[in-house]
Amino acid sequence: MVNKQIGINRDSPKELLYPYSINFFHFINDGLAIIDLSKGPFGQFIEVNDVFCSMLGYTHDELIGLSPIDITPEDLYHNARQFIDRQKSGTDRKIIREITLLSKNGRRVPTELSSHVVKLNGRLIGFGIHHDITKRKKFEQDLILSYEKELQLRQELQNQIHQRIEFARGLVHEIKTSFTPILCNSKVLTKIVTDETAILLTQNIFRAASNLNNRVDEHFDLIRSEVGILNLEYDWINPSSVLNEVVSEFKSRTLLNKNLFRTYISPDLPPLWADADRIRQIVLNLLDNASKFTAEGAEIIMRGYCRESKLYIHVEDNGTGIPHSEKEKIFQSYYRSKANPTKAGGLGLGLALCKYLIELHGGTIKIEDNKPSGSIFKLFIPYTKHENL
Ligand code: ADP
């Protein structure tokens, strides 16, 4: 019996508590073990509860007399010996730590051990509470595995993105290298040919070449925006002059379309922290669309003004218009309106890119219906410095 082995004094008032302690010992949910550390080199179990027995698959009688080393996996003998030595020498009398035990059938059982060593009648007695942490350890292991898996997937994704970018960069380079002479030569030709048919043909070649050139740029920009590496070059820009440059460029591009083009650009717009090239790209795209999706002779109006610390730019046309159900969708990549399927156009990337670039500047873009027909593309960019800067 416990009391005999560890020498409990039955005359002590504490003895009154003894039956309750025994109940507590046997009904507690954790494994309890008492070791006489004075016996043998590593001590011997002198009492264990049922939970401790079933944790390790031994019977009570099989465990009594065994030493802690007998229920330790071989690879952990060294740690276990050090641990026992420290407890015996008094260095660590009270310890809470995770240890691993070995069950009778060879299963490793991780437990959290709270151990306390006391001196009783000249003998060193260790009281150990073993909390089975198999589930927690499994959970931790699963967590580590899924973290490692996620890291690996992320790495694979990064590699794929890198390959995709490199491929796109190479492709763009190849296309542009072959393209530059066509663009340059056709531009020169438009200025030197005199025959009317030749002028028309060279203008067509130049227009088609610059369209294709823009499409290639759009594509590459979109790929870069998708992987978050589209970097803008911000500076303080003069919006009035940038918008006027866009107007001249647009006029020179659309000579043949003969749109009525009116502009209302405030002459003294305050300086804006923005990427001038990207602002040109956004507005030109909206103007090109206005021209593409209107009949010849239709009217296009562009406005640029400042209100409530925001630069507003409007591009208005009286063309086909955009149905209400598509006003959000046409800002998605590759979306083209069903309202004007026959019109020549690009791949449906321009507006997606515009929206992305405007948002990088901290602004937004929306579409309203024009009266009696057509659309108004309204965008604003705040004058306050935004977090992308
Ligand atoms: P695309 O290169 O096809 O012009 P965009 O992204 O610029 O690509 O435009 C997407 C689609 O939105 C166009 O194909 C067209 O159907 C519609 N769209 C854009 N601008 C206008 C406009 N001003 N009027 C009518 N439809 C437009």
Side-chain angles (χ1 to χ4, degrees):
M1 288 298 290
V2 182
N3 58 330
K4 267 193 190 160
Q5 284 165 336
I6 63 174
I8 287 173
N9 179 2
R10 282 189 173 277
D11 299 330
S12 156
K14 287 180 190 164
E15 182 60 14
L16 283 172
L17 291 172
Y18 179 70
Y20 302 103
S21 319
I22 286 294
N23 274 349
F24 179 72
F25 190 84
H26 285 292
F27 292 114
I28 197 164
N29 261 339
D30 285 326
L32 300 182
I34 302 175
I35 299 174
D36 186 343
L37 287 165
S38 317
K39 288 190 174 170
F42 307 111
Q44 280 177 7
F45 290 109
I46 52 174
E47 185 55 293
V48 289
N49 71 353
D50 292 346
V51 178
F52 192 67
C53 293
S54 57
M55 217 183 241
L56 298 177
Y58 285 99
T59 63
H60 176 271
D61 290 347
E62 282 172 334
L63 273 173
I64 300 303
L66 290 186
S67 94
I69 296 294
D70 295 326
I71 54 160
T72 299
E74 215 175 318
D75 55 310
L76 299 175
Y77 278 179
H78 180 67
N79 294 359
R81 279 190 196 124
Q82 274 187 338
F83 178 54
I84 294 164
D85 284 348
R86 283 216 308 279
Q87 293 224 298
K88 279 168 89 170
S89 68
T91 325
D92 282 324
R93 284 281 157 92
K94 277 185 184 175
I95 294 178
I96 299 179
R97 61 181 267 183
E98 288 179 10
I99 63 165
T100 303
L101 304 177
L102 190 69
S103 78
K104 192 176 171 185
N105 63 12
R107 187 173 70 87
R108 292 168 87 95
V109 185
T111 76
E112 185 183 79
L113 166 64
S114 312
S115 133
H116 187 190
V117 174
V118 291
K119 255 197 174 145
L120 280 176
N121 291 352
R123 289 149 69 185
L124 262 186
I125 306 296
F127 294 87
I129 306 171
H130 291 266
H131 183 63
D132 190 337
I133 53 171
T134 308
K135 278 190 188 151
R136 195 179 88 196
K137 282 283 160 197
K138 165 105 182 42
F139 180 70
E140 280 173 11
Q141 195 58 33
D142 289 350
L143 211 66
I144 291 170
L145 283 179
S146 56
Y147 175 69
E148 280 169 358
K149 190 152 191 187
E150 203 227 291
L151 268 187
Q152 189 192 338
L153 285 175
R154 205 181 316 162
Q155 189 56 50
E156 280 169 16
L157 196 70
Q158 287 290 342
N159 292 346
Q160 280 175 15
I161 289 173
H162 183 72
Q163 278 173 6
R164 201 176 148 203
I165 286 288
E166 282 310 306
F167 174 74
R169 206 192 298 277
L171 197 65
V172 166
H173 179 73
E174 285 298 308
I175 296 173
K176 289 225 160 202
T177 314
S178 325
F179 235 69
T180 315
I182 305 177
L183 260 176
C184 297
N185 294 337
S186 58
K187 188 160 193 176
V188 174
L189 272 178
T190 53
K191 295 205 173 109
I192 56 175
V193 290
T194 46
D195 176 75
E196 224 169 83
T197 321
I199 293 176
L200 207 68
L201 291 176
T202 45
Q203 278 180 340
N204 278 348
I205 295 172
F206 176 66
R207 200 185 331 278
S210 42
N211 267 343
L212 210 56
N213 195 36
N214 290 342
R215 295 286 95 95
V216 171
D217 287 339
E218 273 178 0
H219 236 98
F220 194 45
D221 275 352
L222 204 80
I223 292 172
R224 287 194 291 189
S225 74
E226 277 169 7
V227 295
I229 58 161
L230 183 64
N231 297 322
L232 301 196
E233 302 212 347
Y234 289 95
D235 206 344
W236 287 110
I237 65 163
N238 177 340
S240 309
S241 43
V242 170
L243 291 180
N244 283 315
E245 281 161 31
V246 174
V247 169
S248 320
E249 165 136 22
F250 177 65
K251 277 183 180 162
S252 72
R253 280 192 196 195
T254 47
L255 269 182
L256 297 179
N257 200 320
K258 296 195 186 70
N259 283 114
L260 296 175
F261 185 37
R262 281 191 286 141
T263 58
Y264 301 93
I265 300 167
S266 301
D268 47 6
L269 289 169
L272 180 75
W273 183 251
D275 182 326
D277 283 343
R278 295 305 187 169
I279 299 292
R280 277 188 208 101
Q281 182 183 351
I282 295 164
V283 184
L284 260 177
N285 197 345
L286 297 179
L287 288 171
D288 279 344
N289 278 353
S291 158
K292 264 192 308 195
F293 302 108
T294 50
E296 217 169 283
E299 185 171 46
I300 298 172
I301 299 174
M302 180 184 147
R303 298 177 202 276
Y305 60 94
C306 168
R307 188 165 299 157
E308 292 165 352
S309 300
K310 288 172 187 144
L311 169 68
Y312 281 88
I313 302 171
H314 292 194
V315 174
E316 310 174 8
D317 67 62
N318 54 5
T320 49
I322 293 155
H324 185 66
S325 59
E326 292 189 317
K327 283 197 172 68
E328 290 287 326
K329 288 185 192 152
I330 62 164
F331 289 105
Q332 292 167 5
S333 312
Y334 305 106
Y335 190 87
R336 301 189 60 202
S337 171
K338 294 179 179 54
N340 45 31
T342 54
K343 292 275 179 189
L347 298 167
L349 295 182
L351 287 179
L353 205 55
C354 280
K355 184 169 189 282
Y356 184 72
L357 291 171
I358 293 165
E359 283 169 359
L360 281 183
H361 281 87
T364 56
I365 180 165
K366 64 175 181 177
I367 305 167
E368 287 176 8
D369 290 331
N370 204 1
K371 300 263 181 302
S373 68
S375 324
I376 307 177
F377 284 76
K378 286 187 176 178
L379 72 93
F380 77 78
I381 292 173
Y383 270 102
T384 44
K385 271 198 171 188
H386 43 91
E387 53 189 43
N388 285 317
L389 307 182

